[in-house]
C-alpha cells in the first residue's frame, strides 16, 4: 500500500521488485532469492549517507 492505495497483489516474489520498491519507497534495491524461494532485499536511498563512527583513541 502507498497512500492508502493497493500497489500490487501477489506473492512476495511477484510483488517485491526493484522497480516497485524504487517507485513506492524511493530506494535502490537489490533482490536475491535462494533455492527455497526466500528473498533477501538490500537497499539504499539515493543521496543519503550513513555516518560511521570515527576512530577512537
Amino acid at each position: 500500500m502507498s497512500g492508502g492505495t493497493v500497489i500490487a497483489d501477489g506473492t512476495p516474489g511477484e510483488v517485491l521488485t526493484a522497480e516497485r520498491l524504487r517507485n513506492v519507497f524511493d530506494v535502490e534495491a537489490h533482490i536475491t532469492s535462494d533455492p527455497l524461494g526466500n528473498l533477501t532485499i538490500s537497499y539504499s536511498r539515493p543521496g543519503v549517507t550513513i555516518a560511521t563512527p570515527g576512530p577512537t583513541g
Side-chain angles (χ1 to χ4, degrees):
M1 292 189 74
S2 178
T5 302
V6 175
I7 300 300
D9 182 29
T11 67
E14 295 168 339
V15 171
L16 297 173
T17 65
E19 180 180 8
R20 187 165 290 120
L21 294 173
R22 183 182 317 109
N23 292 338
V24 174
F25 297 105
D26 191 29
V27 296
E28 292 301 320
H30 177 76
I31 303 167
T32 58
S33 177
D34 69 17
L36 298 175
N38 299 306
L39 299 179
T40 300
I41 303 172
S42 305
Y43 64 91
S44 64
R45 291 195 78 173
V48 174
T49 303
I50 298 173
T52 56
T56 60

